Amino acid sequence: MSASKSAAHILKRVLMVPPKHFTVEYSINPWMGGIVDKQKAHQQWDSLKSAIEKAGVQVLTMEQTKGLPDQVFVCNSGLVYDNKVYLSRFRHKERTGEQPLYLEWFKKNNISTIGEGYEEIFEGGGDAVFSDRNTLWAGYGERSSKSVYERIKALGSFDIVLCDMILPNFYHLDTCFAPVDETTSLYYPPAFSEATNKEILRRLPNSIAVSEAEANAFVCNAITIRDTVISPIGVSQNTKKALTARGKQVEEVDMSEFMKSGGACQCLVLRFHRVKRNDFTNNYGYGPFGIGPTNGGFDSFGFYRDKYYNSGLPPLYSFASYRNYYHEISFHKNKYGQPAPTDFEVLQQERFGPYYDGVWGYADHSKNWFGKKR
Ligand SMILES: NC(=[NH2+])NCCC[C@H](N)C(=O)O
């Protein structure tokens, strides 16, 4: 059993693209065809968004650009780890127009980007998914290239489990595999080579094999948020039983319009997980006494500050710098319109000089607290 919390438990936000210009007008996978009912697509997208929010995850949105019908499948924009993203490079020319738009969005939201201009084909969260912070499931075959995963090591240090996919209908990893918790996934065994099947059961021994009918209903395109499994309609009684035995509840949403393009729940979201805290914060992102830097009180350095001590000037602490400091992605600008400092550690050293050595992290958060030196 993995020591690390499952990805489902640390999912914090997702990015979604409302289907303003969603159509099926070309065919780059075996599912694509049919006429999209636009109104239905909007309703289905809205109900997915509500299900995600109800499960406690924030939904950010980005506008769709006309002429890029598959941009709704924003999961394919890249793979996010902490505050970094490895950018996609699409296999089909029909989707390459999406790349610069995603790049711009990541830059605007202070997420550092890797992979711009790289040759290797990579379709982001469609083919690569974390089951916990230390384990990346890495699909290749129809879309992403196997070699890209050497490059992806630049994102962070985690195991990369290469998944050999062998059926054209299951062209993205998320069409046939979905992590559920630290020992469980939903998966469709025929879609994988024998070696990959073994590896899935070795690392996630409680995995649930779905039937052909479920696989074709895109049940493996589910998203688990804590204990809620949000899946397209079509989960069998057997699978429901197995999930209930794992303490999960199943919520089915109709994804018929998006399935005309070969996508469903998971394809419509890009995931942002909770970022690992520095040692000197508690699990709530605050320093001692639960007082955060935006209030008066002691901060996590053990320094007292009041809310207005720097009045007249922009505050030393702002929401943006606070988020950045706690290794959070800052999605908000502070009220002075200033971006978060790019290297907050350096900034802290300049401010606090000898009192700050970057290695705090005992129970009282500071070995130099009030001049104490232990
Ligand atoms: N993550 C996914 N499986 N996304 C679905 C993408 C669907 C899109 N029509 C394509 O073929 O690229």
Side-chain angles (χ1 to χ4, degrees):
M1 175 141 167
S2 158
S4 182
K5 272 202 174 113
S6 79
H9 278 88
I10 56 168
L11 188 65
K12 183 155 186 175
R13 303 189 171 87
V14 296
L15 173 64
M16 292 180 72
V17 174
K20 193 167 164 194
H21 306 290
F22 172 59
T23 53
V24 178
E25 48 195 60
Y26 49 77
S27 176
I28 55 172
N29 73 54
W31 305 91
M32 290 180 83
I35 310 277
V36 172
D37 178 333
K38 291 220 162 196
Q39 202 191 332
K40 237 171 140 185
H42 273 284
Q43 285 165 357
Q44 294 177 350
W45 187 91
D46 285 342
S47 55
L48 176 64
K49 179 171 181 272
S50 316
I52 292 170
E53 287 170 335
K54 206 177 99 206
V57 162
Q58 183 190 7
V59 177
L60 307 168
T61 57
M62 173 187 183
E63 274 237 13
Q64 186 173 13
T65 296
K66 205 167 173 209
L68 295 171
D70 274 340
Q71 196 189 347
V72 293
F73 301 114
V74 66
C75 145
N76 297 118
S77 60
L79 177 69
V80 180
Y81 191 71
D82 287 350
N83 55 350
K84 298 181 273 283
V85 61
Y86 189 100
L87 299 161
S88 289
R89 181 181 166 86
F90 287 93
R91 174 151 318 263
H92 300 285
K93 62 176 186 323
E94 288 85 347
R95 295 199 66 182
T96 51
E98 298 171 36
Q99 287 167 197
L101 301 171
Y102 298 138
L103 176 67
E104 188 191 341
W105 190 90
F106 290 126
K107 288 211 159 134
K108 223 169 61 200
N109 288 284
N110 300 320
I111 298 169
S112 31
T113 57
I114 310 177
E116 195 182 341
Y118 287 179
E119 293 284 293
E120 292 85 352
I121 302 295
F122 180 57
E123 298 204 350
D127 271 331
V129 64
F130 287 98
S131 55
D132 61 48
R133 276 188 63 81
N134 304 319
T135 318
L136 180 68
W137 297 83
Y140 64 90
E142 290 289 316
R143 296 287 180 93
S144 300
S145 65
K146 190 174 180 182
S147 59
V148 77
Y149 295 108
E150 275 305 309
R151 298 268 204 187
I152 281 177
K153 290 181 178 162
L155 264 186
S157 83
F158 40 77
D159 288 1
I160 295 180
V161 188
L162 290 170
C163 298
D164 187 13
M165 299 191 292
I166 57 176
L167 293 183
N169 270 14
F170 299 97
Y171 63 97
H172 271 145
L173 181 65
D174 66 6
T175 62
C176 45
F177 175 82
V180 170
D181 62 27
E182 56 283 0
T183 60
T184 314
S185 71
L186 287 168
Y187 77 119
Y188 182 50
F192 298 102
S193 68
E194 216 181 297
T196 300
N197 267 293
K198 272 202 188 131
E199 199 52 21
I200 292 173
L201 287 177
R202 191 177 77 79
R203 291 183 179 253
L204 302 170
N206 296 320
S207 285
I208 301 163
V210 306
S211 66
E212 188 181 345
E214 289 175 292
N216 287 329
F218 267 48
V219 164
C220 291
N221 208 254
I223 319 164
T224 304
I225 300 173
R226 282 170 276 283
D227 291 327
T228 307
V229 179
I230 303 172
S231 158
I233 291 173
V235 187
S236 70
Q237 284 312 318
N238 281 346
T239 301
K240 279 188 186 155
K241 250 200 231 147
L243 285 168
T244 312
R246 304 279 316 144
K248 309 292 161 201
Q249 71 202 50
V250 178
E251 192 157 326
E252 287 170 289
V253 284
D254 188 1
M255 289 276 106
S256 65
E257 299 316 295
F258 300 98
M259 281 167 65
K260 292 174 182 167
S261 190
C265 308
Q266 137 70 26
C267 308
L268 294 170
V269 306
L270 178 71
R271 302 174 196 227
F272 298 89
H273 296 108
R274 208 161 70 205
V275 169
K276 196 165 187 233
R277 300 286 178 206
N278 277 330
D279 286 344
F280 49 64
T281 65
N282 61 32
N283 286 334
Y284 307 101
Y286 290 97
F289 316 130
I291 294 167
T294 49
N295 291 306
F298 292 97
D299 66 15
S300 58
F301 301 104
F303 288 91
Y304 185 78
R305 64 177 296 275
D306 79 66
K307 205 168 178 178
Y308 305 107
Y309 78 106
N310 200 26
S311 57
L313 290 169
L316 275 179
Y317 293 101
S318 63
F319 186 65
S321 61
Y322 161 73
R323 302 308 283 265
N324 197 41
Y325 169 59
Y326 287 112
H327 286 202
E328 274 270 10
I329 298 159
S330 52
F331 285 96
H332 304 272
K333 286 215 158 37
N334 61 41
K335 67 175 174 172
Y336 300 92
Q338 294 171 322
T342 49
D343 191 343
F344 206 68
E345 291 292 304
V346 169
L347 203 81
Q348 293 307 331
Q349 265 159 30
E350 280 169 9
R351 279 179 188 154
F352 301 115
Y355 290 104
Y356 181 73
D357 59 12
V359 286
W360 314 80
Y362 290 88
D364 65 3
H365 298 262
S366 166
K367 56 188 167 161
N368 297 328
W369 216 358
F370 299 123
K372 259 186 306 185
K373 194 106 194 165
R374 279 177 289 180

